[in-house]
Amino acid sequence: QVQLVESGGGLVQAGGSLRLSCAAPGRIFSNYSMGWFRQAPGKEREFVTAISWSGGSTYYKDSVKGRFTISRDAAKNTVYLQMNSLKPEDTAVYYCAATNSGSVDEVYYWGQGTQVTVSS
């Protein structure tokens, strides 16, 4: 079974920073765009950001532009999500995904999720 393994979640105060990591099998990492989605309690899972397989293009949800940065390290088969200036509304379970679109319905592989909690 393909596994995307996330790490880096936790509890942080508003205005703080966290970095999430997602390690993927090489054959997945090399052939798919990688992204992050999140799901807050009582809400639907939503797209946050994605990076093309080459790393040349990135996409962001409007509310995280300028605060979040996605990157990928081909040598480590790992994608990162640097989150700065965190807000309480960023609280959610964050999921790594192998996807070629921003649609939840078009994700090929999911990680197990990591909790991010931002206190006010």
Side-chain angles (χ1 to χ4, degrees):
Q1 184 175 359
V2 174
Q3 288 187 321
L4 304 181
V5 181
E6 299 131 335
S7 61
L11 173 65
V12 65
Q13 289 187 334
S17 298
L18 283 174
R19 188 176 82 155
L20 306 184
S21 301
C22 173
R27 63 181 179 86
I28 300 300
F29 189 85
S30 299
N31 290 290
Y32 291 92
S33 297
M34 299 295 294
W36 293 91
F37 292 73
R38 67 186 182 188
Q39 188 166 18
K43 296 186 177 181
E44 294 185 350
R45 194 170 298 189
E46 64 177 5
F47 169 81
V48 177
T49 180
I51 186 167
S52 61
W53 69 268
S54 67
S57 298
T58 56
Y59 311 88
Y60 295 94
K61 176 181 173 64
D62 285 347
S63 63
V64 307
K65 286 181 180 178
R67 300 188 298 121
F68 290 12
T69 303
I70 189 171
S71 61
R72 58 193 295 160
D73 185 335
K76 296 182 179 180
N77 292 337
T78 299
V79 61
Y80 301 99
L81 179 60
Q82 178 66 44
M83 304 185 293
N84 298 329
S85 302
L86 281 160
K87 303 176 181 180
E89 51 263 44
D90 294 318
T91 294
V93 178
Y94 282 70
Y95 296 90
C96 179
T99 178
N100 287 329
S101 84
S103 170
V104 172
D105 296 328
E106 297 181 16
V107 169
Y108 295 93
Y109 304 101
W110 289 103
Q112 80 282 2
T114 185
Q115 177 70 47
V116 171
T117 303
V118 184
S119 64
S120 57

